[in-house]
Amino acid sequence: AGHAWISITNYNGSSLKIGGLTVDDGKSITVGTWGNTDPKGLWYNAEGYAQSTGVYWGDSVSIQRPLRQQDLAVVNQNITTHTSWGLVNNNCSTFASLVWNSVATEDEKVDAGMINLPGNLVSSIKEIGANVSWSLYAEGYRVPFDYPTYYGNPPIRKNPTF
Amino acid sequence: MSVAVMRIYALG
């Protein structure tokens, strides 16, 4: 049960390559891996799509950090090379924590647990919010949906079925 | 200088 994912918003002043997509200034994408979609694996913008199509969605917890160009390069590398999904420790919370931790400072690193699960990430994100910055922490933060859904790497335009 | 903001979300 549950889900975990990443959003990235471009504040560069011009377009940016994020994962395998080109994103306009001021626009966002989400990335996450899914095991209950056809096909399974890495999707772009599936979270906003799921919300828009009325797939059940609860309130998330989330926290943010800035990305420099060199951080984005690391994040992009991780997004484009982790496109598969597996139930045990290759699931949505594995992917989200891997991408986040690839650039996070030590005190910002999340822990999805021995068996990676979204519920463990919820606790970890709350803890970072308390320890590092409540101002960067949010509950029920809006899920961006500025672009349609894409699957895999290189990204192929298609819609998931849940 | 930052060019983007990343957010990690979890629910469940």
Side-chain angles (χ1 to χ4, degrees), chain A residues 87-155:
Chain A
L87 182 60
V88 179
N89 292 358
N90 188 27
N91 55 43
C92 59
S93 50
T94 313
F95 174 82
S97 56
L98 183 148
V99 171
W100 176 268
N101 287 345
S102 71
V103 293
T105 57
E106 281 307 312
D107 60 349
E108 290 176 338
K109 285 192 197 297
V110 295
D111 184 356
M114 285 270 285
I115 295 175
N116 298 166
L117 290 170
N120 296 334
L121 262 188
V122 168
S123 308
S124 181
I125 290 168
K126 281 183 176 170
E127 204 174 300
I128 294 164
N131 293 340
V132 179
S133 175
W134 278 120
S135 67
L136 301 176
Y137 170 88
E139 296 182 357
Y141 197 86
R142 190 185 74 88
V143 179
F145 190 35
D146 293 338
Y147 292 95
T149 46
Y150 290 81
Y151 178 72
N153 183 60

Side-chain angles (χ1 to χ4, degrees), chain A residues 22-147:
Chain A
T22 300
V23 178
D24 290 336
D25 184 43
K27 300 294 187 186
S28 308
I29 55 129
T30 63
V31 281
T33 60
W34 292 73
N36 63 331
T37 52
D38 183 20
K40 297 174 183 178
L42 176 71
W43 286 94
Y44 291 84
N45 306 315
E47 290 75 20
Y49 178 77
Q51 274 193 334
S52 74
T53 55
V55 171
Y56 170 77
W57 211 258
D59 265 355
S60 65
V61 302
S62 63
I63 197 161
Q64 72 176 48
R65 72 181 318 284
L67 296 179
R68 301 164 299 172
Q69 186 65 60
Q70 61 264 43
D71 301 324
L72 184 60
V74 173
V75 163
N76 285 350
Q77 175 72 12
N78 280 301
I79 292 170
T80 54
T81 56
H82 293 89
T83 59
S84 69
W85 182 90
L87 182 60
V88 179
N89 292 358
N90 188 27
N91 55 43
C92 59
S93 50
T94 313
F95 174 82
S97 56
L98 183 148
V99 171
W100 176 268
N101 287 345
S102 71
V103 293
T105 57
E106 281 307 312
D107 60 349
E108 290 176 338
K109 285 192 197 297
V110 295
D111 184 356
M114 285 270 285
I115 295 175
N116 298 166
L117 290 170
N120 296 334
L121 262 188
V122 168
S123 308
S124 181
I125 290 168
K126 281 183 176 170
E127 204 174 300
I128 294 164
N131 293 340
V132 179
S133 175
W134 278 120
S135 67
L136 301 176
Y137 170 88
E139 296 182 357
Y141 197 86
R142 190 185 74 88
V143 179
F145 190 35
D146 293 338
Y147 292 95

Side-chain angles (χ1 to χ4, degrees), chain A residues 5 7 11 62 64 67 142, chain B residues 3-7 9-11:
Chain A
W5 68 100
S7 74
Y11 289 118
S62 63
Q64 72 176 48
L67 296 179
R142 190 185 74 88
Chain B
V3 298
V5 167
M6 174 167 66
R7 177 169 285 267
Y9 296 72
L11 65 84

